[in-house]
Amino acid sequence: MPAAIRLTSRQHAVVRQCRTAASGDDPDLVLLDGAHLLTDALDADIRIARVLTDGRAASLVARARKSGATVYEATTSVLEAASPVRSPTGVVALAHWRTTGVAPALKAGGPAACCLGLVGVQDPGNVGSAIRAADALGATGVLTHEGTADPRGWKTLRGAMGSVFHLPIGRGPAAEALAEASRANLSVVAAVTHSGAPPGTLDLRRPCLILVGSEGAGLPPAVVDRADARVTIPMRRGVESLNVAVTAALLLFEARRQREAAAETVRTAG
């Protein structure tokens, strides 16, 4: 196995490539900062291209090297230049990972599809947290629509904590998602702050696309008007809205609760 390459220049091409990937501007590579993200990527069989390390996480770096990654021994200064993270973790990797299209992510669950769609969610941390909630609560895919932070950006990836590698993440216009949902006979549920049905009164057992918007603006009226149902999470008086990731988690939890209850009814009846 080849030895690690010593990297001391902040202007090296690999460092520049890391910065490009961090912003989501590389069409194929994403930046993973930290042992946790690198571990999740390797566990998901994501191909790792390069790893920069200051000597930490030696066994993990060895695992990446065994998988085919080129390893660079880098100084602290180089790692600071390679990653936009305020306090570098000592391990930075470039991985081959792309988002998918709208239709594949929307239909990934087949008859059990439960896809989350994010519209106008600009904060990458919120996008990452929503993806993490979708993964934890059994969503079959996540769609990121216009005005939503790039799921391939470093902040989103850190916020998702590896969940992007566990389910399909699609990108595309909301109009395309609405059209595809109609063709696939998925129910479209739009989260609104007022005048929607309580989550428990909707049938979320059938294949569905749950759409949520930004905390401030919410979903565009044109999107809400094309939904099959509107849902509002009851809140005490004086509270206007919830964080988008919290809203997504509550709705996905209700969908999971209904589906598990239905499956249990079938099981006990049988």
Side-chain angles (χ1 to χ4, degrees):
M1 195 172 297
I5 302 169
R6 185 66 178 166
L7 192 58
T8 58
S9 173
R10 293 168 59 94
Q11 307 304 319
H12 194 281
V14 171
V15 175
R16 293 197 300 271
Q17 191 174 37
C18 286
R19 301 295 294 195
T20 300
S23 62
D25 292 335
D26 189 301
D28 187 45
L29 294 172
V30 293
L31 182 84
L32 309 179
D33 189 293
H36 179 88
L37 274 177
L38 179 55
T39 298
D40 279 341
L42 287 168
D43 288 346
D45 293 325
I46 302 298
R47 187 158 64 93
I48 309 301
R50 297 169 188 84
V51 177
L52 282 65
T53 176
D54 63 1
R56 282 178 271 185
S59 60
L60 178 62
V61 172
R63 180 184 171 194
R65 178 188 284 142
K66 188 176 181 180
S67 76
T70 301
V71 174
Y72 296 84
E73 290 182 356
T75 62
T76 299
S77 176
V78 167
L79 286 171
E80 288 174 347
S83 173
V85 176
R86 183 171 298 177
S87 300
T89 60
V91 180
V92 173
L94 288 169
H96 293 275
W97 180 76
R98 295 187 178 192
T99 53
T100 187
V102 167
L106 191 63
K107 301 173 184 177
C114 182
C115 188
L116 174 67
L118 306 174
V119 184
V121 183
Q122 298 178 350
D123 185 273
N126 283 340
V127 174
S129 295
I131 293 172
R132 186 181 178 195
D135 180 25
L137 294 168
T140 56
V142 176
L143 293 175
T144 57
H145 303 301
E146 53 267 40
T148 296
D150 188 352
R152 300 179 74 251
W154 71 272
K155 285 187 178 180
T156 307
L157 291 170
R158 280 174 66 87
M161 295 185 68
S163 287
V164 295
F165 305 132
H166 302 159
L167 70 171
I169 311 296
R171 296 187 75 186
E176 181 183 349
L178 291 166
E180 288 289 347
S182 178
R183 280 192 285 268
N185 199 30
L186 269 68
S187 175
V188 177
V189 179
V192 294
T193 55
H194 303 288
S195 304
T201 65
L202 294 177
D203 183 0
L204 299 176
R205 297 169 297 176
R206 61 170 297 184
C208 61
L209 167 63
I210 298 174
L211 295 171
V212 297
S214 67
E215 184 175 343
L219 290 169
V223 172
V224 175
D225 290 344
R226 292 182 61 182
D228 299 302
R230 302 179 185 186
V231 62
T232 297
I233 296 171
M235 295 179 288
R236 71 171 178 83
R237 188 183 301 274
V239 179
E240 291 296 323
S241 63
L242 290 170
N243 174 275
V244 63
V246 174
T247 298
L250 289 170
L251 296 177
L252 291 171
F253 178 84
E254 175 60 23
R256 180 176 181 176
R257 185 195 68 78
Q258 291 185 20
R259 292 169 181 223
E260 289 183 344
E264 179 62 17
T265 299
V266 171
R267 188 189 68 80
T268 54

